[in-house]
Amino acid sequence: MASTHPSRSTTPDTIKATRRSPPLIPFPRLAMNMPHFPSSSTCSTTTAPTSAGSSTSHSYMASPVQTSITSSPDSFRGRMSHTSTPNSFDLEEPALSYTNPSPQPGSQTSSDSVSASRTPNLMRRISRGAASRIRRRQSSTHNNRDHSTGPVILRRRSDSRSDGKKPLDVMDLGFGDDEEEKDDQVDSLGISGLSSSPAPSSRSVPLPAGGVAPTLPAQLQRGIVFTKMTKNKKKSMRFWIDIQAAKVYWDQTNPTKKFYIDDIMEIRTGYEAKNYREEFQIPDELAKRWITILYADPDRSKGRSTKTMHLLAESKPSCAVWTKTLEDVSRYRMALMAGVAGSRHCEAALRAYWHQEMSKHFGDNHHTEEQELLGLEKLEKLCKGLHINCSANILRAHFMKADTHARGSLDYNEFKDFIRRLKERKDIKALYLSIVSNSGQGLSMDEFFQFLRSSQAIPVEAEYDHWVTVFHKFARKSKSKSQLHQEAMSNIPPHVNFDGFSAFITSAFNNALLPLPDKVTLDRPLNEYFISSSHNTYLMGRQVAGESSTEAYIKCLSDGCRCIEIDCWDGQDGRPIVSHGHTMTTSILFQDCIDVIGKFAFYASSYPLILSLEVHCCAEQQEAMVTIMKKSFGDSLLLERVLNKFTTLPSPEEIKYRILVKVKSSDEVDEALFMNDVATAGRKRSASSPFARPVPPDGIAIPTTLSLSSPPTISQSEQAIPVWGPTKRSMTSTSISSSTEDSDTVSNRRDRKKKQKSKIIKSLADLGVYTRGQKWTNFEDAESRTYNHVFSFAERNFEGMCKDPHTKSQLEWHNTCYLTRVYPSGFRVKSSNFDPNTFWRRGVQMVALNWQTYDTGMQMNNAMFASGTDRTGYVLKPKELRHPRHSQDPSREAPSPRLKLEKQLVKFSVEVISAHQLPRPKGMWSEDSFNPYIEIEMFSAEDKSKGIASGEGGLDASARNGMSGIGLPHRRRTRIAQSNGYDPTYHDGFKLLLETKYPGLVFVRWSVWNSSDGKSYNSPNSNLPLATFTAKLSSLQEGYRHLPLFDGAGDQYIFSKLFCKIHKEAPESGDIARNSIREIREERVSIFSRINQSIKRTLSNERRISPEER
């Protein structure tokens, strides 16, 4: 049914009149159902809703999406919510969304410009002009997304069907997946989660009858009234859902007042949004009418990647239908993209996609199936909407092959063949044919196992039953039930055909990273582990003027962080707050932070969480902090030492599900601290004693006894355990950091004659059982020998100490026995990160980074804790960093000689076979060609003046002198693929070699770049890679693997992958390594010599040329 709303004029005068006029569609007064807010504004008087960007008036009953997308899809986000999801996508009432055109952004801008030109105030004119330019730029960017088919980036947040136990994965989304898929519970990297809770049921999305897409309920078509809450005001306004463009908007005259459903990260209602409701003083009886929506901000306005919107509905039913509609549309769009554009073939998704496109084309007009055709021009637009970034020539060639009737258009069956040709994996086909003896029959179990052993380096016998199950799973792939029944009746042995093999190669069972073992045991002392640690955890953006939010804690804890920082200051009404002191950052309540931490503390890992407190509160508010933590954490808060651990640190296994507090000591308890008093061994057990097991999170079982089956053997050099200390800060160029007084600097410590008096009260200091913060003065002081102390250093101070060989030796010896923490310099006003290898190689347990900034340092940190048992947030340090290289303490008067670590030779090879569905550069015009190439980098922990690396294959883009180390990776590049970002083929092989004392700290990074002209590398406009993947070399699995890709904010692309073959060799040491290293050095000297000789000959020839000849 066509829209009944006539088109409207969009001249500036009309727009002004529209602003002054009452709404075309009246809605009831808010006083009837809404609570009274003294400060709330009057009701918004926006006009009736329109379908932004729409120029047609036919029905969109079955079409929530359009057919083409912007040329820059990297801002799209796949988001899911926590609210309950219906079993079907048939919403309450199939009806039409509003389709009357909205006022054009351009006309509004011109009106503002005219008004601004008449304003005498210069600053106001400049401000309005800038705002107009920004609005035009943003509106042009966002409007292109109105035609997106669905998201291409996945935010790692759990969805409503997982009960919050597991992060959402695109592999869980599909149309009509077979029963086998119900057992696949994997995260966004394809690795099973650590949670011990039962696996949730399948998350595959069922299609409504006939493949009809979600439609807009009647009560939402005229918009729905909410009270929009901000810190400054509460305003009632009408919100609309444009189901065609999949966006939410609330001001037709301002194109920036909207967000896309694909950008939604989470929708919180009820108890999930309790902290936000209390912040706005909303009573509990209105909890079921409260909605908090978290969505991504692709433009990163105000330096943050996430925005939050708080809404209060008029009634419970309107709240429920709003959240249900948003989730239905979100899940449908993600599943549609996975079924049509993903690697799997899904007939139901293709039919649903075809149906919605035909519905948009014909509307309600009667037509036959023979009339349902797609031409080449329309098909090209559909491919853009499906994130298929290949040249028009490639699309035309596939179109011509699929057009069997030679009529210049495709029917449904031909369209299905066209998609099949696009998805065809010739690289996997070649691999399959190379290992199968009878391609018609398929891979036998023996052939499949031989492939796993020889190519994938998998010890099949170690998990034989598991791999037998995997074989049978993929043998059933792409076979109908009748075929399977016939094979079973005929006793035909199962075989894996090409479709099944292709599904295996792209599945989580063939992940690039090591899988999580069935049993995890971390039984070494804490000081022998690297610990995933965060600095300024509460910040969402920059540390000078960023926003503080509890969402930052949720993200870090959900991603496995085990040490978080809380900067505490005096708040109003005796309520402590969390903020970056002496800066322009916002603040949040300490109570809210603790509540969120208590809920998410063991979401991703069951191993201990360390709270690093930086306390600037008065005594009264410190007492309030203690009360809040004890009440919120309950028995999870560690208050006493564990069992016999009175002079040594416990293992992570012994304090699972415990929360440790890192806080400075109090003057009242210093004496007991240095006496190592063990009198507490006979102390009466209280309800909060470590012997009383904590109450676990929902669904997680805790053993009734401490796990001491394998007690660690602790030598004299191992009498301390690394714990998370508080992140400190130094003085910045723009402000004084809140942690200046806690920072362990070098210059003032040696000259200080009198120790500063601690401001920490005893009850708070008592919480620092195994993590007691101490100021560093020197390594001879008694405080440097207490088993539970933690030293914290700013990065520059630590690096300065390492310049002195003797001090560096003392530091390294200290870090084998006690805890140390290093945090970014306060001069990093943009919250950038350092190279963590700089401090890991010195044995620092807690290398704290700014998690809100996804730069190379943060990528390496994620890679450190990304696979196997490392995902617990605790990584066992390499052997050379766990045992001291001195037989005695080097701080003594006559220290023993320091043992020198021998360099080892690390070799590995990578073949970049192909790439798939790569993201186009942001801002690229649709007519511009996309010419991707791949860059591979090798990072080591050596000083760049001493490290040596070399390689073969591709183009060498590393330092000319052959040096490699901290801040200077060895770098090589593939060739440039011309005009093909969909499935470029490379087959470029690289052999990389590195000499290092730290083979366990070698990282490899793949990055995708674009050549603007198709010939040159790293053009001026390509200052950042389009996508990256970083892995620790020891974590990578060998063989043919698909590597996931991530954008600049750390969000995973749903479909973008690199297909590589990886081979590793065991590190070599001794004479073999020394001979190889000698050959490398001689080769390097020879290269330098030839270069110098060539330069000398060139200069000599130039001197012989006479001025006349020149």
Side-chain angles (χ1 to χ4, degrees):
M1 183 175 63
S3 172
T4 59
H5 294 275
S7 60
R8 299 187 180 95
S9 173
T10 56
T11 61
D13 293 337
T14 303
I15 295 174
K16 291 180 180 179
T18 302
R19 282 179 171 175
R20 293 190 297 267
S21 63
L24 297 179
I25 303 174
F27 46 91
R29 296 180 59 86
L30 299 179
M32 299 174 61
N33 295 310
M34 299 296 291
H36 176 66
F37 298 112
S39 60
S40 62
S41 303
T42 58
C43 184
S44 173
T45 58
T46 51
T47 59
T50 64
S51 180
S54 173
S55 59
T56 60
S57 59
H58 55 72
S59 169
Y60 295 99
M61 177 177 181
S63 87
V65 290
Q66 279 285 12
T67 59
S68 63
I69 63 171
T70 177
S71 60
S72 308
D74 49 297
S75 61
F76 299 168
R77 314 278 166 172
R79 313 287 191 250
M80 295 312 303
S81 70
H82 276 295
T83 57
S84 60
T85 307
N87 295 325
S88 170
F89 278 106
D90 289 323
L91 301 188
E92 279 77 357
E93 300 179 44
L96 303 179
S97 61
Y98 268 63
T99 57
N100 52 307
S102 60
Q104 298 298 320
S107 60
Q108 172 63 32
T109 302
S110 112
S111 172
D112 288 344
S113 300
V114 172
S115 175
S117 63
R118 299 172 180 173
T119 305
N121 190 301
L122 178 61
M123 291 304 297
R124 184 177 301 174
R125 292 169 59 186
I126 294 175
S127 176
R128 288 185 177 179
S132 299
R133 289 191 295 271
I134 292 174
R135 185 176 301 163
R136 286 195 299 268
R137 181 169 64 251
Q138 290 180 340
S139 63
S140 63
T141 301
H142 288 289
N143 282 345
N144 287 332
R145 291 187 55 191
D146 289 356
H147 309 292
S148 164
T149 300
V152 295
I153 295 181
L154 177 70
R155 173 77 67 175
R156 294 184 61 184
R157 293 290 179 92
S158 60
D159 102 315
S160 60
R161 299 188 179 186
S162 66
D163 297 327
K165 298 300 181 186
K166 287 185 178 295
L168 179 69
D169 177 53
V170 68
M171 297 185 68
D172 295 325
L173 299 173
F175 289 94
D177 288 340
D178 59 42
E179 294 298 320
E180 299 297 326
E181 298 303 323
K182 295 184 179 181
D183 298 328
D184 296 341
Q185 300 302 331
V186 291
D187 67 6
S188 60
L189 288 179
I191 303 176
S192 299
L194 185 64
S195 173
S196 59
S197 60
S201 60
S202 173
R203 304 176 199 168
S204 61
V205 180
L207 277 175
V212 179
T215 54
L216 197 65
Q219 64 192 96
L220 299 185
Q221 292 176 29
R222 295 186 176 184
I224 186 170
V225 175
F226 290 105
T227 299
K228 186 173 181 288
M229 306 284 191
T230 65
K231 292 184 178 181
N232 298 323
K233 60 183 178 180
K234 303 177 179 70
K235 184 176 182 180
S236 298
M237 57 180 61
R238 190 174 291 269
F239 285 75
W240 294 275
I241 295 178
D242 185 343
I243 205 168
Q244 172 190 354
K247 66 182 178 183
V248 174
Y249 60 102
W250 54 95
D251 186 350
Q252 296 172 245
T253 62
N254 188 344
T256 64
K257 299 297 184 181
K258 65 183 177 185
F259 64 84
Y260 286 90
I261 296 177
D262 291 341
D263 287 337
I264 294 178
M265 298 162 55
E266 290 189 58
I267 301 176
R268 296 186 186 155
T269 59
Y271 177 78
E272 299 291 334
K274 178 181 178 182
N275 293 337
Y276 290 118
R277 281 193 294 103
E278 291 180 349
E279 180 181 349
F280 290 97
Q281 300 179 1
I282 303 299
D284 291 341
E285 54 267 24
L286 299 179
K288 293 185 179 181
R289 291 161 56 184
W290 178 275
I291 305 173
T292 292
I293 302 176
L294 281 76
Y295 60 96
D297 180 11
D299 298 321
R300 294 185 65 89
S301 61
K302 299 182 180 180
R304 62 192 184 195
S305 59
T306 304
K307 286 187 175 181
T308 307
M309 176 178 287
H310 308 292
L311 303 174
L312 187 63
E314 288 185 293
S315 63
K316 296 177 184 178
S318 61
C319 177
V321 71
W322 177 265
T323 56
K324 180 178 182 292
T325 303
L326 290 179
E327 182 169 304
D328 286 353
V329 174
S330 179
R331 288 189 60 85
Y332 182 88
R333 288 170 61 83
M334 181 175 287
L336 191 69
M337 283 291 290
V340 178
S343 59
R344 303 179 187 181
H345 174 76
C346 182
E347 176 76 17
L350 279 176
R351 187 170 296 277
Y353 185 67
W354 178 268
H355 177 79
Q356 75 173 30
E357 294 304 321
M358 292 301 104
S359 297
K360 286 189 287 186
H361 180 71
F362 289 101
D364 288 340
N365 297 326
H366 177 74
H367 65 280
T368 63
E369 289 189 4
E370 290 73 16
Q371 293 177 296
E372 294 184 349
L373 300 172
L374 282 178
L376 177 59
E377 183 178 355
K378 180 67 173 178
L379 200 60
E380 289 179 348
K381 293 181 179 180
L382 294 184
C383 288
K384 290 180 181 179
L386 291 171
H387 191 51
I388 298 175
N389 298 317
C390 56
S391 66
N393 291 334
I394 296 177
L395 291 179
R396 188 178 297 108
H398 287 306
F399 180 88
M400 297 297 292
K401 292 178 181 179
D403 184 13
T404 56
H405 294 88
R407 56 191 170 194
S409 57
L410 305 181
D411 59 20
Y412 172 70
N413 289 327
E414 292 170 330
F415 171 73
K416 186 167 62 173
D417 182 57
F418 172 82
I419 295 295
R420 181 190 62 80
R421 292 177 182 276
L422 275 178
K423 291 185 177 183
E424 185 179 8
R425 291 292 301 271
K426 295 180 179 179
D427 46 3
I428 298 180
K429 185 76 171 181
L431 174 61
Y432 173 77
L433 295 176
S434 69
I435 62 176
V436 66
S437 58
N438 186 343
S439 60
Q441 190 177 28
L443 283 171
S444 66
M445 183 180 292
D446 290 339
E447 289 174 328
F448 182 72
F449 284 176
Q450 180 60 29
F451 167 73
L452 296 181
R453 295 187 190 99
S454 60
S455 297
Q456 307 300 89
I458 295 176
V460 177
E461 286 71 20
E463 296 181 291
Y464 185 80
D465 292 340
H466 166 74
W467 290 112
V468 168
T469 302
V470 172
F471 172 79
H472 285 287
K473 172 185 176 65
F474 289 97
R476 292 190 291 267
K477 286 283 185 181
S478 302
K479 293 182 181 179
S480 64
K481 292 183 179 180
S482 59
Q483 289 176 316
L484 294 174
H485 179 72
Q486 183 178 359
E487 290 180 356
M489 295 297 295
S490 305
N491 292 325
I492 299 176
H495 289 75
V496 175
N497 60 16
F498 170 68
D499 290 336
F501 179 76
S502 178
F504 166 75
I505 286 293
T506 57
S507 73
F509 294 99
N510 191 50
N511 196 268
L513 298 178
L514 290 171
L516 184 74
D518 294 333
K519 184 178 180 180
V520 178
T521 302
L522 308 180
D523 56 5
R524 301 301 302 167
L526 281 175
N527 57 291
E528 296 191 14
Y529 292 90
F530 293 129
I531 306 174
S532 180
S533 186
S534 167
H535 173 64
N536 287 352
T537 312
Y538 47 86
L539 289 180
M540 300 288 288
R542 299 177 180 179
Q543 65 176 348
V544 175
E547 179 188 6
S548 302
S549 174
T550 56
E551 294 300 329
Y553 288 100
I554 295 176
K555 184 180 186 304
C556 284
L557 293 173
S558 300
D559 290 344
C561 184
R562 294 289 84 198
C563 179
I564 56 179
E565 180 183 19
I566 309 178
D567 290 355
C568 310
W569 296 81
D570 287 332
Q572 296 180 354
D573 303 325
R575 307 172 72 187
I577 60 173
V578 176
S579 180
H580 194 188
H582 306 297
T583 64
M584 294 180 287
T585 58
T586 61
S587 63
I588 49 180
L589 287 175
F590 179 80
Q591 174 78 66
D592 291 346
C593 294
I594 296 302
D595 288 343
V596 166
I597 292 169
K599 180 180 179 181
F600 289 88
F602 305 107
Y603 175 90
S605 173
S606 60
Y607 288 91
L609 172 68
I610 303 168
L611 305 186
S612 178
L613 297 185
E614 189 174 291
V615 183
H616 304 271
C617 298
C618 64
E620 291 77 11
Q621 296 207 17
Q622 289 185 45
E623 286 287 359
M625 292 169 53
V626 174
T627 302
I628 290 171
M629 286 189 286
K630 288 183 176 181
K631 181 179 179 181
S632 181
F633 296 152
D635 290 337
S636 295
L637 183 63
L638 187 67
L639 299 179
E640 296 180 357
R641 288 171 282 193
V642 177
L643 296 180
N644 62 339
K645 302 295 181 179
F646 300 115
T647 58
T648 59
L649 292 171
S651 69
E653 201 73 34
E654 293 171 325
I655 50 176
K656 290 178 69 174
Y657 299 108
R658 292 291 191 167
I659 297 177
L660 282 65
V661 176
K662 191 271 183 188
V663 65
K664 290 172 61 179
S665 60
S666 172
D667 288 342
E668 303 176 49
V669 296
D670 275 350
E671 182 179 355
L673 174 67
F674 293 117
M675 292 177 61
N676 286 327
D677 184 12
V678 297
T680 53
R683 185 179 303 170
K684 181 179 179 181
R685 301 181 186 179
S686 63
S688 58
S689 167
F691 299 101
R693 300 302 296 162
V695 178
D698 294 339
I700 300 179
I702 301 180
T704 56
T705 59
L706 291 173
S707 176
L708 295 176
S709 57
S710 302
T713 301
I714 304 177
S715 64
Q716 181 180 359
S717 63
E718 301 169 348
Q719 291 184 354
I721 308 175
V723 184
W724 309 65
T727 54
K728 316 285 186 178
R729 308 177 199 82
S730 57
M731 185 175 297
T732 69
S733 57
T734 57
S735 64
I736 300 177
S737 173
S738 61
S739 64
T740 302
E741 65 179 49
D742 290 338
S743 177
D744 294 331
T745 59
V746 180
S747 58
N748 296 330
R749 295 304 187 273
R750 295 174 179 171
D751 298 332
R752 186 176 54 187
K753 298 181 180 180
K754 186 176 181 180
K755 183 181 178 181
Q756 294 180 356
K757 185 176 180 180
S758 173
K759 299 179 181 179
I760 306 300
I761 63 174
K762 183 179 183 302
S763 59
L764 181 57
D766 286 344
L767 301 182
V769 179
Y770 289 118
T771 48
R772 199 171 292 262
Q774 296 288 347
K775 290 181 178 291
W776 178 82
T777 55
N778 56 63
F779 293 105
E780 290 78 22
D781 286 353
E783 62 185 15
S784 299
R785 311 298 176 85
T786 55
Y787 77 99
N788 61 348
H789 77 271
V790 180
F791 284 154
S792 294
F793 299 96
E795 58 171 303
R796 295 187 179 184
N797 294 332
F798 191 96
E799 291 173 344
M801 295 172 69
C802 290
K803 292 180 180 179
D804 178 67
H806 180 63
T807 306
K808 182 175 71 173
S809 296
Q810 291 179 309
L811 266 175
E812 292 176 347
W813 184 91
H814 172 274
N815 295 339
T816 62
C817 307
Y818 309 108
L819 297 178
T820 302
R821 184 177 186 277
V822 175
Y823 54 89
S825 167
F827 288 95
R828 295 181 179 270
V829 293
K830 293 184 179 181
S831 294
S832 60
N833 290 300
F834 45 63
D835 186 336
N837 261 344
T838 307
F839 310 103
W840 283 332
R841 64 176 177 170
R842 304 300 179 203
V844 176
Q845 295 88 358
M846 293 164 284
V847 179
L849 298 179
N850 293 306
W851 282 50
Q852 69 270 33
T853 306
Y854 191 71
D855 51 14
T856 304
M858 190 60 208
Q859 293 168 27
M860 293 174 66
N861 185 81
N862 284 356
M864 170 64 82
F865 302 95
S867 71
T869 58
D870 300 346
R871 297 197 62 186
T872 62
Y874 288 83
V875 174
L876 188 66
K877 293 196 290 187
K879 183 178 179 181
E880 61 270 16
L881 298 178
R882 286 186 281 131
H883 301 289
R885 286 185 272 165
H886 293 270
S887 60
Q888 62 184 29
D889 188 345
S891 63
R892 298 181 179 180
E893 294 182 359
S896 60
R898 180 172 179 263
L899 299 178
K900 187 175 182 180
L901 289 178
E902 184 179 17
K903 287 192 174 183
Q904 301 182 54
L905 197 63
V906 177
K907 298 179 182 179
F908 67 101
S909 61
V910 176
E911 180 186 1
V912 180
I913 300 174
S914 59
H916 300 276
Q917 293 177 262
L918 298 178
R920 285 172 67 87
K922 189 174 182 179
M924 173 181 282
W925 292 98
S926 58
E927 306 85 39
D928 294 342
S929 61
F930 181 22
N931 311 298
Y933 64 91
I934 312 302
E935 191 171 87
I936 183 171
E937 298 168 288
M938 178 173 56
F939 296 84
S940 70
E942 296 293 325
D943 290 322
K944 58 185 178 182
S945 60
K946 299 179 181 179
I948 296 179
S950 65
E952 298 177 6
L955 175 67
D956 189 356
S958 50
R960 294 184 178 180
N961 59 7
M963 293 297 180
S964 175
I966 299 293
L968 196 65
H970 182 78
R971 183 182 293 114
R972 307 192 81 84
R973 294 167 176 161
T974 67
R975 63 180 179 84
I976 300 173
Q978 301 288 334
S979 301
N980 185 6
Y982 180 68
D983 59 351
T985 301
Y986 296 99
H987 288 290
D988 284 355
F990 304 94
K991 294 183 179 179
L992 302 174
L993 184 147
L994 169 74
E995 61 165 340
T996 178
K997 293 179 288 186
Y998 314 100
L1001 296 179
V1002 176
F1003 294 82
V1004 186
R1005 184 171 88 141
W1006 288 261
S1007 53
V1008 180
W1009 299 80
N1010 174 54
S1011 172
S1012 58
D1013 58 3
K1015 300 178 181 179
S1016 59
Y1017 292 89
N1018 273 354
S1019 61
N1021 295 328
S1022 300
N1023 56 347
L1024 291 175
L1026 305 178
T1028 61
F1029 172 69
T1030 307
K1032 188 167 54 175
L1033 180 60
S1034 59
S1035 298
L1036 283 171
Q1037 296 202 94
E1038 295 188 65
Y1040 297 89
R1041 310 286 177 174
H1042 282 87
L1043 309 182
L1045 293 173
F1046 298 82
D1047 71 349
D1051 293 327
Q1052 183 186 347
Y1053 287 101
I1054 300 177
F1055 310 111
S1056 302
K1057 307 284 182 182
L1058 298 180
F1059 187 43
C1060 299
K1061 183 181 180 182
I1062 301 169
H1063 176 67
K1064 300 188 296 183
E1065 298 181 20
E1068 299 176 356
S1069 58
D1071 294 337
I1072 298 178
R1074 282 190 288 270
N1075 293 334
S1076 300
I1077 292 172
R1078 189 181 304 111
E1079 293 176 1
I1080 297 173
R1081 288 174 174 169
E1082 291 175 355
E1083 180 182 0
R1084 187 182 64 178
V1085 171
S1086 176
I1087 293 174
F1088 291 161
S1089 176
R1090 290 196 297 269
I1091 293 175
N1092 290 333
Q1093 291 177 4
S1094 176
I1095 294 174
K1096 290 179 180 179
R1097 285 195 299 269
T1098 302
L1099 294 175
S1100 177
N1101 292 335
E1102 289 180 353
R1103 293 192 187 99
R1104 296 195 190 102
I1105 300 175
S1106 63
E1108 293 79 8
E1109 293 174 333
R1110 293 178 183 176

